[in-house]
Amino acid sequence: MQDHTQHTDHAQHAEHAEHAEHAEHTGHVGWRMAAQATLHCLTGCAIGEVLGMVVGTAFGWGNTATMVLAIALAFFFGYTLTLRSVRKAGVDFRTAFRVALAADTLSIAVMELIDNGLIALWPGAMDATLADALFWGTLALSLAVAFVVTTPVNKWMIGRGKGHAVVHQYHH
């Protein structure tokens, strides 16, 4: 006669693993997952910010027009990165677009508010050009501060099954 205790233990282990994964999605979220989600948003924001500043400067636009372009591009690239990863999982475009909007809107908005707010308030930063160390230093600092402020926002959202928790579902 076969001993089935090992099979039962395996089933309990699988059930425990499923519970652990479920716990990760329903409130017992670690800072690591939140930081990864924030880094994802930061990547899109940084691409958009730099590109917007370069384009605005190249065309000789004023601060307001350049900042508006940089913010719009930050949202565009943030959404695009999420859209791309969700589409890779085989999700149709419409659903992937909705997921990207739900996952990234608050995160990008907080990041852009902090990032651009710091740049606007930093003495001389708005008048710095691409050739100035002040431009790049302020941009790097503002993105770092935005990362620190936005990570708890993403942790809160993921812990409630929102934000990048939704994106995470498509990576399995």
Side-chain angles (χ1 to χ4, degrees):
M1 198 157 150
Q2 276 187 317
D3 180 15
H4 292 286
T5 57
Q6 186 177 15
H7 179 71
T8 304
D9 290 343
H10 177 70
Q12 288 172 341
H13 176 72
E15 184 179 319
H16 176 72
E18 287 176 22
H19 174 73
E21 184 177 329
H22 177 71
E24 184 178 325
H25 292 291
T26 58
H28 303 296
V29 176
W31 286 101
R32 185 172 186 250
M33 187 176 182
Q36 287 174 336
T38 306
L39 186 59
H40 174 90
C41 284
L42 180 70
T43 302
C45 286
I47 292 168
E49 288 284 330
V50 172
L51 184 59
M53 298 293 178
V54 168
V55 169
T57 300
F59 287 123
W61 293 355
N63 290 337
T64 302
T66 300
M67 190 175 278
V68 167
L69 177 63
I71 292 169
L73 289 174
F75 274 93
F76 173 78
F77 283 103
Y79 289 144
T80 300
L81 292 176
T82 299
L83 185 65
R84 183 176 156 249
S85 68
V86 174
R87 290 280 294 143
K88 273 186 171 178
V91 177
D92 66 284
F93 181 83
R94 185 180 176 135
T95 301
F97 186 73
R98 288 180 178 173
V99 167
L101 289 177
D104 290 336
T105 300
L106 181 60
S107 180
I108 295 171
V110 169
M111 192 163 290
E112 288 301 300
L113 178 68
I114 299 302
D115 170 36
N116 286 286
L118 193 97
I119 290 171
L121 294 174
W122 197 274
M126 291 297 290
D127 297 321
T129 66
L130 298 174
D132 295 331
L134 179 61
F135 170 83
W136 295 105
T138 307
L139 181 60
L141 177 66
S142 69
L143 290 172
V145 171
F147 177 85
V148 169
V149 172
T150 307
T151 299
V153 172
N154 281 325
K155 185 178 187 303
W156 177 78
M157 288 176 43
I158 293 167
R160 282 150 185 75
K162 302 197 181 307
H164 274 261
V166 178
V167 174
H168 190 67
Q169 295 171 12
Y170 294 101
H171 292 277
H172 294 286

